[in-house]
Amino acid sequence: MFSPSAARNRDAVRDAFLSVAPAAGVVLEVGSGTGEHAVHIAAAAPQVAWRPGDPDPASRASIAAWTRRLGLPNVAPPHAIDVADAEWGAAADAPGGLDAIVSCNMIHIAPPSAYHGLIAGAGAHLADGGILFVYGPFMRDGRHTAPSNADFDASLQARDPSWGVRDLDRDLVPHALTVGLTLEKTIPMPANNLSVVFRKASG
């Protein structure tokens, strides 16, 4: 599958992730969709073991097809983790914990249980010092960052009242603090999006 939006922003997302990512280790991506972000980043980081996946079977087939097409040995077969589930299961396990968890353009097209589960799972499965990297549109302290984001939020909620642009400061940060994650960095991105980096405390 091909996503025009992923094609437009994949370089910016790749560069933002690589600016904060470990040089090597295990990265779990959840809600990978078509798989285009996964293979684009993994191709630029051959020392990173990338574990993409999606609860949607068609998306998993697309991830596998992109991986085969590009011949990337550092990309694992797609998992079926649904972060809205309380238990992520063995697919998230790695010796010593995961070095990074990545979520691109997912939490605004899912119910609040998705970002709750994403953050809780990051607290449980990241190694000490590991990062949670989240990309997409966000509100900041109760305000949209651009009129286009407000319009997008309204359109999402019209499609499903449980969807919507999440508030970084009021929704994500307080929840992250409860599981030992602190907001380390926000990176401005094209089209009024943000890349957000949380880090798990060491020790």
Short mmCIF file of all heavy atoms in Angstrom, two decimals, residues 129-174:
data_model
loop_
_atom_site.label_atom_id
_atom_site.label_comp_id
_atom_site.label_asym_id
_atom_site.label_seq_id
_atom_site.Cartn_x
_atom_site.Cartn_y
_atom_site.Cartn_z
N GLY A 129 16.54 4.57 29.99
CA GLY A 129 17.14 5.48 29.03
C GLY A 129 16.57 5.37 27.63
O GLY A 129 16.96 6.16 26.76
N GLY A 130 15.66 4.43 27.39
CA GLY A 130 15.04 4.28 26.07
C GLY A 130 14.06 5.39 25.78
O GLY A 130 13.62 6.12 26.68
N ILE A 131 13.70 5.54 24.50
CA ILE A 131 12.83 6.65 24.10
C ILE A 131 11.52 6.16 23.51
O ILE A 131 11.45 5.10 22.87
CB ILE A 131 13.52 7.60 23.10
CG1 ILE A 131 13.84 6.88 21.78
CG2 ILE A 131 14.74 8.24 23.71
CD1 ILE A 131 14.27 7.85 20.65
N LEU A 132 10.49 6.96 23.73
CA LEU A 132 9.22 6.84 23.02
C LEU A 132 9.15 8.02 22.07
O LEU A 132 9.20 9.19 22.50
CB LEU A 132 8.05 6.87 24.00
CG LEU A 132 6.64 7.00 23.39
CD1 LEU A 132 6.32 5.81 22.49
CD2 LEU A 132 5.59 7.17 24.48
N PHE A 133 9.04 7.73 20.77
CA PHE A 133 9.03 8.74 19.71
C PHE A 133 7.64 8.73 19.08
O PHE A 133 7.21 7.71 18.53
CB PHE A 133 10.10 8.42 18.67
CG PHE A 133 10.17 9.36 17.50
CD1 PHE A 133 11.05 10.44 17.51
CD2 PHE A 133 9.38 9.16 16.38
CE1 PHE A 133 11.13 11.30 16.43
CE2 PHE A 133 9.46 10.01 15.28
CZ PHE A 133 10.34 11.09 15.31
N VAL A 134 6.93 9.85 19.17
CA VAL A 134 5.57 9.95 18.66
C VAL A 134 5.50 11.11 17.67
O VAL A 134 5.92 12.24 17.99
CB VAL A 134 4.55 10.17 19.79
CG1 VAL A 134 3.12 10.12 19.25
CG2 VAL A 134 4.72 9.13 20.90
N TYR A 135 4.96 10.85 16.49
CA TYR A 135 4.85 11.87 15.44
C TYR A 135 3.38 12.08 15.08
O TYR A 135 2.62 11.12 14.96
CB TYR A 135 5.63 11.44 14.20
CG TYR A 135 5.27 12.24 12.97
CD1 TYR A 135 5.79 13.52 12.78
CD2 TYR A 135 4.40 11.74 12.01
CE1 TYR A 135 5.44 14.28 11.66
CE2 TYR A 135 4.05 12.47 10.89
CZ TYR A 135 4.57 13.74 10.72
OH TYR A 135 4.23 14.49 9.62
N GLY A 136 3.01 13.34 14.91
CA GLY A 136 1.67 13.66 14.45
C GLY A 136 1.27 15.06 14.87
O GLY A 136 2.09 15.85 15.34
N PRO A 137 -0.02 15.41 14.72
CA PRO A 137 -0.52 16.71 15.17
C PRO A 137 -0.83 16.66 16.67
O PRO A 137 -1.27 15.64 17.20
CB PRO A 137 -1.80 16.88 14.36
CG PRO A 137 -2.30 15.47 14.16
CD PRO A 137 -1.07 14.61 14.05
N PHE A 138 -0.59 17.78 17.35
CA PHE A 138 -0.87 17.86 18.78
C PHE A 138 -1.43 19.25 19.11
O PHE A 138 -1.05 20.25 18.50
CB PHE A 138 0.40 17.67 19.61
CG PHE A 138 0.96 16.28 19.56
CD1 PHE A 138 1.93 15.96 18.63
CD2 PHE A 138 0.50 15.30 20.42
CE1 PHE A 138 2.46 14.68 18.56
CE2 PHE A 138 1.01 14.02 20.36
CZ PHE A 138 1.99 13.70 19.43
N MET A 139 -2.29 19.28 20.12
CA MET A 139 -2.62 20.53 20.78
C MET A 139 -1.55 20.81 21.83
O MET A 139 -0.86 19.89 22.29
CB MET A 139 -4.00 20.45 21.44
CG MET A 139 -5.15 20.24 20.48
SD MET A 139 -6.74 20.03 21.32
CE MET A 139 -6.99 21.68 21.99
N ARG A 140 -1.42 22.08 22.22
CA ARG A 140 -0.50 22.47 23.28
C ARG A 140 -1.26 23.25 24.34
O ARG A 140 -1.77 24.34 24.07
CB ARG A 140 0.67 23.31 22.75
CG ARG A 140 1.60 22.62 21.76
CD ARG A 140 2.25 21.35 22.26
NE ARG A 140 2.90 21.44 23.55
CZ ARG A 140 4.21 21.67 23.73
NH1 ARG A 140 4.99 21.87 22.68
NH2 ARG A 140 4.72 21.68 24.95
N ASP A 141 -1.36 22.66 25.51
CA ASP A 141 -1.99 23.31 26.67
C ASP A 141 -3.36 23.89 26.32
O ASP A 141 -3.67 25.05 26.63
CB ASP A 141 -1.06 24.40 27.22
CG ASP A 141 -1.42 24.75 28.67
OD1 ASP A 141 -2.08 23.94 29.34
OD2 ASP A 141 -1.03 25.85 29.10
N GLY A 142 -4.19 23.05 25.69
CA GLY A 142 -5.57 23.43 25.41
C GLY A 142 -5.80 24.19 24.12
O GLY A 142 -6.95 24.54 23.82
N ARG A 143 -4.76 24.44 23.35
CA ARG A 143 -4.91 25.21 22.11
C ARG A 143 -4.35 24.45 20.91
O ARG A 143 -3.30 23.83 21.01
CB ARG A 143 -4.18 26.56 22.22
CG ARG A 143 -4.73 27.49 23.27
CD ARG A 143 -3.84 28.72 23.40
NE ARG A 143 -4.35 29.65 24.39
CZ ARG A 143 -5.16 30.67 24.12
NH1 ARG A 143 -5.54 30.89 22.87
NH2 ARG A 143 -5.59 31.48 25.08
N HIS A 144 -5.05 24.57 19.79
CA HIS A 144 -4.50 24.07 18.54
C HIS A 144 -3.35 24.96 18.09
O HIS A 144 -3.35 26.17 18.34
CB HIS A 144 -5.57 24.01 17.45
CG HIS A 144 -6.54 22.88 17.63
ND1 HIS A 144 -6.18 21.57 17.44
CD2 HIS A 144 -7.85 22.88 17.99
CE1 HIS A 144 -7.23 20.79 17.66
NE2 HIS A 144 -8.24 21.55 18.00
N THR A 145 -2.37 24.38 17.43
CA THR A 145 -1.19 25.13 17.00
C THR A 145 -1.39 25.82 15.66
O THR A 145 -0.55 26.63 15.26
CB THR A 145 0.03 24.21 16.92
OG1 THR A 145 -0.22 23.15 15.97
CG2 THR A 145 0.33 23.58 18.29
N ALA A 146 -2.48 25.51 14.96
CA ALA A 146 -2.77 26.13 13.67
C ALA A 146 -4.24 25.93 13.34
O ALA A 146 -4.84 24.93 13.75
CB ALA A 146 -1.89 25.53 12.57
N PRO A 147 -4.85 26.84 12.59
CA PRO A 147 -6.25 26.65 12.19
C PRO A 147 -6.48 25.35 11.43
O PRO A 147 -7.53 24.72 11.58
CB PRO A 147 -6.52 27.88 11.30
CG PRO A 147 -5.57 28.92 11.79
CD PRO A 147 -4.33 28.16 12.18
N SER A 148 -5.51 24.95 10.63
CA SER A 148 -5.67 23.70 9.87
C SER A 148 -5.77 22.50 10.81
O SER A 148 -6.49 21.53 10.52
CB SER A 148 -4.51 23.51 8.89
OG SER A 148 -3.27 23.47 9.58
N ASN A 149 -5.07 22.54 11.93
CA ASN A 149 -5.16 21.44 12.90
C ASN A 149 -6.52 21.43 13.58
O ASN A 149 -7.07 20.35 13.88
CB ASN A 149 -4.05 21.55 13.93
CG ASN A 149 -2.72 21.02 13.44
OD1 ASN A 149 -2.57 20.75 12.24
ND2 ASN A 149 -1.75 20.89 14.32
N ALA A 150 -7.08 22.61 13.85
CA ALA A 150 -8.42 22.67 14.43
C ALA A 150 -9.45 22.09 13.46
O ALA A 150 -10.35 21.34 13.87
CB ALA A 150 -8.78 24.12 14.77
N ASP A 151 -9.32 22.42 12.17
CA ASP A 151 -10.23 21.86 11.16
C ASP A 151 -10.07 20.35 11.06
O ASP A 151 -11.06 19.61 10.93
CB ASP A 151 -9.96 22.50 9.80
CG ASP A 151 -10.31 23.98 9.76
OD1 ASP A 151 -11.08 24.44 10.63
OD2 ASP A 151 -9.81 24.67 8.85
N PHE A 152 -8.82 19.89 11.10
CA PHE A 152 -8.56 18.46 11.03
C PHE A 152 -9.16 17.75 12.24
O PHE A 152 -9.78 16.68 12.11
CB PHE A 152 -7.05 18.23 10.97
CG PHE A 152 -6.62 16.80 10.84
CD1 PHE A 152 -7.22 15.95 9.92
CD2 PHE A 152 -5.61 16.28 11.65
CE1 PHE A 152 -6.82 14.63 9.79
CE2 PHE A 152 -5.21 14.97 11.53
CZ PHE A 152 -5.82 14.14 10.61
N ASP A 153 -9.02 18.33 13.42
CA ASP A 153 -9.58 17.76 14.63
C ASP A 153 -11.10 17.62 14.51
O ASP A 153 -11.67 16.58 14.84
CB ASP A 153 -9.21 18.64 15.82
CG ASP A 153 -9.58 18.04 17.16
OD1 ASP A 153 -9.62 16.80 17.27
OD2 ASP A 153 -9.82 18.81 18.10
N ALA A 154 -11.76 18.65 14.01
CA ALA A 154 -13.21 18.60 13.84
C ALA A 154 -13.62 17.52 12.86
O ALA A 154 -14.62 16.80 13.07
CB ALA A 154 -13.73 19.97 13.37
N SER A 155 -12.84 17.36 11.78
CA SER A 155 -13.18 16.33 10.79
C SER A 155 -12.99 14.93 11.37
O SER A 155 -13.78 14.02 11.08
CB SER A 155 -12.34 16.51 9.53
OG SER A 155 -10.98 16.16 9.75
N LEU A 156 -11.97 14.75 12.19
CA LEU A 156 -11.76 13.46 12.83
C LEU A 156 -12.92 13.11 13.76
O LEU A 156 -13.44 11.99 13.73
CB LEU A 156 -10.45 13.47 13.63
CG LEU A 156 -9.15 13.50 12.84
CD1 LEU A 156 -7.97 13.75 13.78
CD2 LEU A 156 -8.94 12.20 12.07
N GLN A 157 -13.33 14.07 14.58
CA GLN A 157 -14.40 13.80 15.53
C GLN A 157 -15.74 13.62 14.85
O GLN A 157 -16.62 12.92 15.37
CB GLN A 157 -14.45 14.92 16.57
CG GLN A 157 -13.21 14.94 17.45
CD GLN A 157 -13.30 15.96 18.57
OE1 GLN A 157 -14.30 16.01 19.29
NE2 GLN A 157 -12.27 16.77 18.71
N ALA A 158 -15.91 14.20 13.66
CA ALA A 158 -17.12 13.96 12.88
C ALA A 158 -17.17 12.52 12.38
O ALA A 158 -18.26 11.94 12.26
CB ALA A 158 -17.20 14.94 11.72
N ARG A 159 -16.00 11.98 12.10
CA ARG A 159 -15.94 10.58 11.64
C ARG A 159 -16.13 9.61 12.79
O ARG A 159 -16.79 8.57 12.65
CB ARG A 159 -14.60 10.32 10.96
CG ARG A 159 -14.42 11.05 9.64
CD ARG A 159 -12.99 10.98 9.16
NE ARG A 159 -12.53 9.63 8.92
CZ ARG A 159 -11.25 9.31 8.65
NH1 ARG A 159 -10.34 10.27 8.60
NH2 ARG A 159 -10.92 8.06 8.43
N ASP A 160 -15.53 9.94 13.94
CA ASP A 160 -15.62 9.08 15.12
C ASP A 160 -15.39 9.96 16.35
O ASP A 160 -14.31 10.53 16.49
CB ASP A 160 -14.56 7.97 15.06
CG ASP A 160 -14.72 6.93 16.15
OD1 ASP A 160 -15.04 7.32 17.30
OD2 ASP A 160 -14.49 5.74 15.90
N PRO A 161 -16.38 10.09 17.22
CA PRO A 161 -16.24 10.99 18.37
C PRO A 161 -15.09 10.63 19.31
O PRO A 161 -14.64 11.48 20.09
CB PRO A 161 -17.58 10.87 19.09
CG PRO A 161 -18.54 10.40 18.04
CD PRO A 161 -17.73 9.52 17.13
N SER A 162 -14.60 9.39 19.24
CA SER A 162 -13.48 8.99 20.10
C SER A 162 -12.13 9.37 19.51
O SER A 162 -11.10 9.23 20.19
CB SER A 162 -13.52 7.49 20.37
OG SER A 162 -13.17 6.75 19.21
N TRP A 163 -12.09 9.82 18.27
CA TRP A 163 -10.86 10.25 17.63
C TRP A 163 -10.62 11.73 17.91
O TRP A 163 -11.48 12.44 18.42
CB TRP A 163 -10.93 10.04 16.12
CG TRP A 163 -10.97 8.61 15.68
CD1 TRP A 163 -11.05 7.49 16.48
CD2 TRP A 163 -10.98 8.14 14.34
NE1 TRP A 163 -11.10 6.36 15.71
CE2 TRP A 163 -11.07 6.72 14.39
CE3 TRP A 163 -10.92 8.77 13.10
CZ2 TRP A 163 -11.08 5.94 13.24
CZ3 TRP A 163 -10.95 8.00 11.94
CH2 TRP A 163 -11.02 6.59 12.01
N GLY A 164 -9.43 12.21 17.59
CA GLY A 164 -9.16 13.63 17.72
C GLY A 164 -7.71 13.93 18.00
O GLY A 164 -6.94 13.05 18.42
N VAL A 165 -7.31 15.17 17.75
CA VAL A 165 -5.95 15.62 18.03
C VAL A 165 -5.77 15.70 19.55
O VAL A 165 -6.54 16.36 20.24
CB VAL A 165 -5.70 16.99 17.37
CG1 VAL A 165 -4.32 17.53 17.76
CG2 VAL A 165 -5.82 16.88 15.86
N ARG A 166 -4.75 15.03 20.06
CA ARG A 166 -4.52 14.96 21.51
C ARG A 166 -3.71 16.15 21.99
O ARG A 166 -2.92 16.73 21.25
CB ARG A 166 -3.81 13.64 21.87
CG ARG A 166 -4.46 12.39 21.30
CD ARG A 166 -5.93 12.26 21.71
NE ARG A 166 -6.56 11.11 21.05
CZ ARG A 166 -7.86 10.85 21.11
NH1 ARG A 166 -8.67 11.68 21.78
NH2 ARG A 166 -8.35 9.80 20.50
N ASP A 167 -3.91 16.48 23.25
CA ASP A 167 -3.19 17.59 23.85
C ASP A 167 -1.91 17.05 24.50
O ASP A 167 -1.97 16.27 25.46
CB ASP A 167 -4.07 18.27 24.90
CG ASP A 167 -3.52 19.61 25.35
OD1 ASP A 167 -2.33 19.67 25.72
OD2 ASP A 167 -4.28 20.60 25.35
N LEU A 168 -0.77 17.48 23.97
CA LEU A 168 0.50 16.99 24.48
C LEU A 168 0.67 17.29 25.96
O LEU A 168 1.07 16.43 26.75
CB LEU A 168 1.66 17.60 23.68
CG LEU A 168 3.07 17.25 24.12
CD1 LEU A 168 3.32 15.75 24.09
CD2 LEU A 168 4.09 17.99 23.26
N ASP A 169 0.36 18.52 26.36
CA ASP A 169 0.62 18.96 27.73
C ASP A 169 -0.41 18.45 28.72
O ASP A 169 -0.07 18.16 29.88
CB ASP A 169 0.67 20.48 27.77
CG ASP A 169 1.71 21.04 26.81
OD1 ASP A 169 2.90 20.90 27.09
OD2 ASP A 169 1.31 21.58 25.76
N ARG A 170 -1.65 18.30 28.29
CA ARG A 170 -2.72 17.92 29.21
C ARG A 170 -3.07 16.44 29.17
O ARG A 170 -3.59 15.90 30.16
CB ARG A 170 -3.98 18.75 28.93
CG ARG A 170 -3.76 20.24 29.13
CD ARG A 170 -5.04 21.03 28.94
NE ARG A 170 -4.82 22.46 29.13
CZ ARG A 170 -5.80 23.37 29.11
NH1 ARG A 170 -7.06 23.00 28.92
NH2 ARG A 170 -5.51 24.65 29.29
N ASP A 171 -2.83 15.79 28.04
CA ASP A 171 -3.16 14.37 27.90
C ASP A 171 -1.94 13.46 28.07
O ASP A 171 -1.93 12.57 28.92
CB ASP A 171 -3.80 14.09 26.54
CG ASP A 171 -5.15 14.76 26.37
OD1 ASP A 171 -5.84 15.00 27.38
OD2 ASP A 171 -5.52 15.06 25.21
N LEU A 172 -0.90 13.70 27.24
CA LEU A 172 0.20 12.76 27.19
C LEU A 172 1.21 12.94 28.32
O LEU A 172 1.60 11.95 28.96
CB LEU A 172 0.92 12.85 25.83
CG LEU A 172 0.32 11.98 24.72
CD1 LEU A 172 -1.02 12.56 24.27
CD2 LEU A 172 1.27 11.89 23.53
N VAL A 173 1.65 14.16 28.56
CA VAL A 173 2.72 14.37 29.54
C VAL A 173 2.33 13.90 30.94
O VAL A 173 3.11 13.18 31.58
CB VAL A 173 3.17 15.84 29.55
CG1 VAL A 173 4.09 16.12 30.74
CG2 VAL A 173 3.91 16.18 28.25
N PRO A 174 1.15 14.25 31.47
CA PRO A 174 0.82 13.77 32.81
C PRO A 174 0.77 12.24 32.90
O PRO A 174 1.22 11.66 33.90
CB PRO A 174 -0.56 14.38 33.07
CG PRO A 174 -0.62 15.57 32.18
CD PRO A 174 0.13 15.17 30.94
#
